[in-house]
Amino acid sequence: MIKRYSSRRESLSDSLFNKKLKNARSYDRIAGYFNSSILEIAGEYVDDIEGKIRVVCNSDLDIRDVKTAKAANNALRREWCESEPEKIANGHDRFAKLYELLSSGKMEVRVLPNEKFGLIHGKAGIITFKDGTKTSFLGSANESLSGWKLNYELVWEDSSEEAIEWVQEEFDSLWNDETAIPLSEFIIEDIKRISEREVIENVEDWKEKDPEPAVVAVESPVYREQLGLWEHQKYFVDRVFHDHKKSYGARYILADQVGLGKTIQLAMAAQLMALYGDKPILIIVPKTLIWQWQDEMNSLLDMPSAVWDGKFWVDEEGHEYIGRGIKKCPRRVGIISQGLIVAKSKVIEELLEQEYECVIVDEAHRARRRNLGEGKEEHSPDPNNLYEFLLNISIKTKSMLLATATPIQMYPIELWDLMNILSQKNDSVLGSPASYWRKKTMIQRSLNLIMGKEKIDFFNRENWEWIRNPFPPAYENTLFASMRLRNNMKEDEFVYRKSFMELSDPEQQKIGALISGGFYEKYNPYIRHVIRRERKYLENEINPDTGEPYLQKIEVELFGEEDEDALVLNTYLKEAYTYAEEFCKELSRRNKGAGFLKTLLLKRIGSSIEAGRNTGYRMLNEWNTYLDEALEEEDFKDEKDMEQTSEIKNLTKEETELLVKYVKALESSNAVDPKYEKTVELLRDEKWLERGTIIFSQYYETARWIAQNLSMEFPEETIGIYAGGTKSGIFINGEFTYKDKETIKAQVKDRGIRVLVGTDAASEGLNLQTLGSLINIDLPWNPTRLEQRKGRIQRIGQEYNTIYIYNMRYKDSIEDKVHKRLSERLKHISDVFGQVPDTLEDVWIKIALGEEEEAMKLIDEVPEKHPFENRYNKEVKHIDWESCSKVLDNVEKRRFLKKGW
C-alpha cells in the first residue's frame, strides 16, 4: 500500500516517524551526505527501537583513502572536523544521545566514497516493526531536523513486499560494498566530547584552575584540520608547560630527529607559556624559516605572531608596523632571524634590555665555540656571536628551549655548550656555580663519566659531589624524593646542603647502591634536559593504549644512488662546468673567507643548467648587486659566512675572462638538461605520477623552470609550484597563475595537484602525505635540508608503506665527487647521529675548491659511534588531550595573544 507525504500538508516527523519508529524493532536507512547533522533525526526518535539502526551515507572520501583502515579513519576524521560540529548551538543533549547509541552498538553508520556510486541523492529506509511486518519509504528528506521539519520535502511510503525487497536490496548493496567503512572511533569519541563541551570564556579563568594544555590544544586547527599531535609531541609540550609553571621555569634541548615535528612542539609550548605569563616570547630561527614559523603557528595553532623583517614588525595578517622599534612587538610572540645576531646587529642590545617569558632557538647547534678540538675542552669557550648572545639572554628569561636534531656536531663538548646556555641563572640544569658539572676543568671528565669512558671507584666520596649538585628532582627516583623530604628541600632547590659525612649510614649505603646501579648513565643532568626521540624507536615502540607503534612506519626506497645513475653532461655543458670550477678556485686564491661566495656558481649550476646560466649572466653583468642578494638569500651558519672583503667586491681580469668563457659555453649548447629529461622519464612511469610527486630544488629559478616545462610536457596535469613570498601558483600548459600557499596545499590534499615543485620554503612544516614520491633535482650542501625534504612525505597519514626518493646529480660534479668518496661514510654518520651534521657542509666547499684531502680529514674526525649512544631520554607515554571537553574560547585566546610587548 502506498502513502504519500508532503511537508506542505503535514508534519513529516509526526505523521511518519513518530508513528512508525515507536513500534519499530529495527531501522535501515539510506541517508544522504555525511555530516554532523545526518544523525539528528535518528537520534531523536529511536528510544523505543529494540534492535539495531543502520545508516549508510556518502562523503568526499577519496576512494584511495579506503585502501587501509588507518587512511580511511584519518580521512573521515578530517571531514568530520571540517564540518565544525562543535559550533552547533544547543547540541549537548542530542550529541549525548548519539554517543549513547553509537558507543552501545545500537546504531551503526557506514560511509561510502561518493565517487563509487556518486552522491546519494536517493533517500530511502526500511522499518521493521515489532510484529515482524515491514514498510519502506523513499523521498527527498535528509536525515536531519531541517529535512523533516523545515524544508519542503516529499516522501512516499510503500509497504508492499515488492517495494520492501527492492529498497532492502539497494540498502544491502551499499552497506556491504567493499568501500563502505564504519564511522571512525575518533568521531564517536568526539561526539561524546562535544556533548560535554564547556567553554572557558577568559584566559584568567583558565590560569586560575590548574591550566592544562589540552584546553588550549583540543580545538586548534592541528587537531580539527590535521590529525592532532603524536604522543611524543604531547609528552614534550606537557613536560615543558609543567616546568614553566614552576618558579625555575623550563630549560630543555629538544633534539628529536628531523621529521618528528619539532616546530609544532615548540610552537604549542610557546602558545601555552604566552597565555600563562605576562612577558614576551622571543623565537630565534634561521632567516629562511622565519615566515614558515609564522605561517605554521597561524595555520596549525591559530596563533598570532609578528616577524621582525630587519626594519619593522609584520604580523600574521601581513600588516607592517612602520616606525616601531624591535622592543615594540605588536604580538605576544615575536620571531627574529639568527642572522641579526650573527651580524651583530644594533638591535641585539635592545633585545637584551627586557625580560622574557621564554626564548626559543631553532637550529641551536649554530651556537658554537670557536676553540673546538682535542685538548681544547679545558679552556673557557671562545663563543661565536650566537653563543655569546644566548648566554646573555638566558639570564633574561624564565624558560628557554633550544632545538636541534644534532646537538653534537662533531665533539661531545658541543652538547655541554648548549647545556651551559640553559644553565645561566638556573641551578636546575647543571647546578650552582660550585657544581662539578659546571667547572671548565671538569667538563671532559663529566662527559667521560656519562659515556662510560671513565669510572669513579665505588667508595670514592667524589661520587656524592656529582649527585648533590644539581640534586635530581623527586619524580626521578624514590630515593631522591625521600631525601628531599627529609632535608626539607623545596622543589626549586637543586643543591643538597649536607656533605657526604653528614649523611646517615643508610643514606650513604643507598647512595652507593645508586652509583653501582648506573647513576651516571640514568640520572645525569644531560638525560634530564635533553629530550631526543628517534624515528626508529617510535616506529618500533608499542603504545599499550592502542596496541600499535607510536609512529607509523614508512620505509624509504632510494633511487639514483649507483655510480652509473649520475647524469652525463654533453661536451659544452661539461666545458661550462669546468670553467665554473676554475672560476671558484681563482676567486679563492685571493680570499680566504666567505667560502659560500667562492662556491656559489658551482652550487647554482649543480642545481640546474638554467640556474647556472642565470647566475653566470648576473655575475658577469651585475657582480656586486648579485653578491648582496646572495648574502640575503643564502642560509648562513656562522659569522664567518657574513664576511665579504673589499677584494671580492671586484672581479679580476682572470675571473672575468673565466666567466665569459663559462657563459659562452652555455650559449653554445642547445642540449636539454639531463635532470629535466630524467624527471620526465620518471613521471611517464605511472607509479611516480599516480602516487603523486614533490620535486625539490634549492633555488626558485630552477623550480619555476622545471614546473613551467613540465606543464607543457604534461598539458593534462596541473603543475603546482610552492615557494616563498608571492611566488607560489600553478602552471597549466606553460601559463602561470598565482595561487596562495593555502590554495596550493588544499589542491594537493584533494589530489587536484599530483606534481608539486617546491623550493626549500616547502621543506619545513608542509604536510604532503597525499604524495608518495619525491625527486631531489639538486642535493643541498647543507645535509639537514635533505632530511627536511623527506619529512614532507615520510609522515603520519602517508597512505604508502614505502615512499620513493630519487636523488639527482651530474656526473663529475661536486655532488657526484662527494657521493663517490663519502656516500658510505656519510651513511654511517647518519646512522650514528640520526642525520649528517651541518658542519659537514664544509666538506662540499673544500671539494669544490680542490681541497679533497682536507675534506677527507673532516669526515675522518667524526666519531665512529654516537658519544651518548642511546642514553638520551626516550620516555613516551599516552597523554589524553583528545577527550578534553573544556575549551578556551578562541576569540579570547587570540585577543590575549595579540597583546604587544
Side-chain angles (χ1 to χ4, degrees), residues 67-87:
K67 288 180 179 177
T68 66
K70 184 181 289 291
N73 286 333
N74 289 342
L76 273 180
R77 170 181 175 153
R78 281 192 290 264
E79 189 166 11
W80 165 259
C81 291
E82 283 171 3
S83 70
E84 300 182 321
E86 67 275 9
K87 293 185 179 180

Side-chain angles (χ1 to χ4, degrees), residues 122-293:
K123 316 300 192 305
I126 302 99
I127 298 173
T128 302
F129 298 109
K130 293 177 181 177
D131 62 5
T133 61
K134 298 182 180 183
T135 190
S136 66
F137 63 89
L138 299 92
S140 60
N142 279 310
E143 199 81 353
S144 65
L145 290 177
S146 60
W148 290 97
K149 290 185 175 181
L150 303 178
N151 300 339
Y152 173 70
E153 305 284 1
L154 297 173
V155 177
W156 285 38
E157 180 189 2
D158 190 340
S159 58
S160 69
E161 185 176 339
E162 181 184 5
I164 292 167
E165 288 180 0
W166 189 85
V167 175
Q168 189 69 58
E169 184 181 348
E170 289 300 309
F171 174 86
D172 290 344
S173 67
L174 298 179
W175 182 261
N176 295 317
D177 189 85
E178 62 179 8
T179 64
I181 59 173
L183 203 61
S184 75
E185 191 64 32
F186 170 84
I187 295 176
I188 296 172
E189 291 305 311
D190 200 50
I191 288 170
K192 178 178 186 292
R193 185 190 71 81
I194 295 171
S195 73
E196 301 168 350
R197 187 172 182 265
E198 176 188 336
V199 178
I200 299 174
E201 300 294 343
N202 62 70
V203 171
E204 293 305 319
D205 285 347
W206 171 72
K207 288 160 68 170
E208 288 174 7
K209 298 175 182 177
D210 189 22
E212 291 297 327
V215 177
V216 177
V218 71
E219 288 188 4
S220 61
V222 73
Y223 266 89
R224 305 308 286 175
E225 297 172 16
Q226 303 293 325
L227 298 171
L229 297 184
W230 305 340
E231 296 297 347
H232 72 278
Q233 295 174 320
K234 289 187 289 184
Y235 170 79
F236 174 79
V237 174
D238 192 69
R239 183 162 173 175
V240 165
F241 189 51
H242 176 272
D243 278 8
H244 183 73
K245 290 183 286 185
K246 307 293 185 185
S247 60
Y248 51 86
R251 300 261 166 162
Y252 288 103
I253 297 166
L254 179 57
D256 286 346
Q257 283 187 334
V258 168
L260 296 183
K262 289 194 294 294
T263 305
I264 191 66
Q265 296 177 73
L266 296 166
M268 178 64 81
Q271 179 173 223
L272 292 166
M273 290 186 282
L275 291 167
Y276 183 77
D278 299 315
K279 295 174 184 174
I281 305 284
L282 179 65
I283 300 177
I284 305 169
V285 303
K287 183 176 181 179
T288 53
L289 300 181
I290 55 176
W291 303 108
Q292 189 70 46
W293 261 81

Side-chain angles (χ1 to χ4, degrees), residues 458 461 464 479 483 499-515:
F458 176 78
R461 294 174 186 172
W464 176 240
L479 172 61
M483 291 184 72
S499 69
F500 186 77
M501 295 303 296
E502 293 176 293
L503 297 177
S504 66
D505 287 343
E507 285 177 329
Q508 289 184 6
Q509 290 173 8
K510 288 178 180 178
I511 293 301
L514 186 67
I515 294 299

Side-chain angles (χ1 to χ4, degrees), residues 852-865:
E852 295 188 24
E853 191 174 329
E854 292 296 317
M856 295 306 293
K857 283 182 182 178
L858 279 175
I859 286 291
D860 291 338
E861 286 181 9
V862 180
E864 285 294 325
K865 69 175 186 175

Side-chain angles (χ1 to χ4, degrees), residues 280-424:
I281 305 284
L282 179 65
I283 300 177
I284 305 169
V285 303
K287 183 176 181 179
T288 53
L289 300 181
I290 55 176
W291 303 108
Q292 189 70 46
W293 261 81
Q294 183 181 56
D295 177 66
E296 191 160 341
M297 287 194 293
N298 195 41
S299 61
L300 295 182
L301 300 179
D302 197 20
M303 177 179 170
S305 66
V307 166
W308 180 259
D309 83 335
K311 296 179 181 178
F312 45 77
W313 289 102
V314 183
D315 68 23
E316 72 287 346
E317 296 172 350
H319 181 72
E320 299 173 349
Y321 294 79
I322 309 293
R324 295 177 68 158
I326 199 166
K327 290 171 67 177
K328 295 292 183 182
C329 179
R331 297 287 184 261
R332 181 57 55 91
V333 178
I335 306 167
I336 68 167
S337 164
Q338 283 184 8
L340 290 172
I341 299 159
V342 170
K344 284 213 162 182
S345 168
K346 294 178 182 179
V347 301
I348 290 177
E349 294 305 317
E350 295 181 64
L351 290 171
L352 292 173
E353 289 172 2
Q354 56 190 24
E355 301 282 333
Y356 299 90
E357 198 73 29
C358 182
V359 172
I360 295 173
V361 185
D362 200 3
E363 304 289 343
H365 59 266
R366 298 182 179 193
R368 308 181 78 209
R369 61 171 65 201
R370 297 186 182 94
N371 52 327
L372 281 164
E374 190 176 345
K376 300 177 181 179
E377 283 80 3
E378 294 186 4
H379 300 290
S380 295
D382 175 19
N384 64 13
N385 292 348
L386 182 58
Y387 188 173
E388 183 178 25
F389 174 81
L390 296 182
L391 285 173
N392 292 327
I393 205 165
S394 178
I395 301 170
K396 298 281 190 174
T397 183
K398 179 180 181 182
S399 291
M400 193 169 200
L401 306 176
L402 306 179
T404 167
T406 48
I408 299 170
Q409 287 281 299
M410 300 283 274
Y411 307 100
I413 200 170
E414 292 176 287
L415 183 54
W416 183 90
D417 286 333
L418 296 180
M419 293 282 286
N420 185 38
I421 291 169
L422 295 181
S423 71
Q424 305 304 303

Side-chain angles (χ1 to χ4, degrees), residues 601-649:
L601 185 59
L602 279 171
K603 285 180 75 173
R604 297 295 173 98
I605 195 174
S607 172
S608 69
I609 302 304
E610 180 72 10
R613 180 182 291 112
N614 292 340
T615 301
Y617 286 142
R618 294 204 59 197
M619 282 184 164
L620 191 58
N621 297 306
E622 41 188 302
W623 172 254
N624 289 331
T625 302
Y626 188 65
L627 289 190
D628 290 339
E629 290 179 7
L631 280 166
E632 285 295 310
E633 182 180 348
E634 292 290 326
D635 185 16
F636 306 109
K637 65 177 185 295
D638 210 336
E639 59 262 21
K640 67 179 181 180
D641 294 323
M642 300 296 288
E643 297 170 4
Q644 184 180 355
T645 63
S646 57
E647 290 84 8
I648 209 170
K649 285 196 171 184

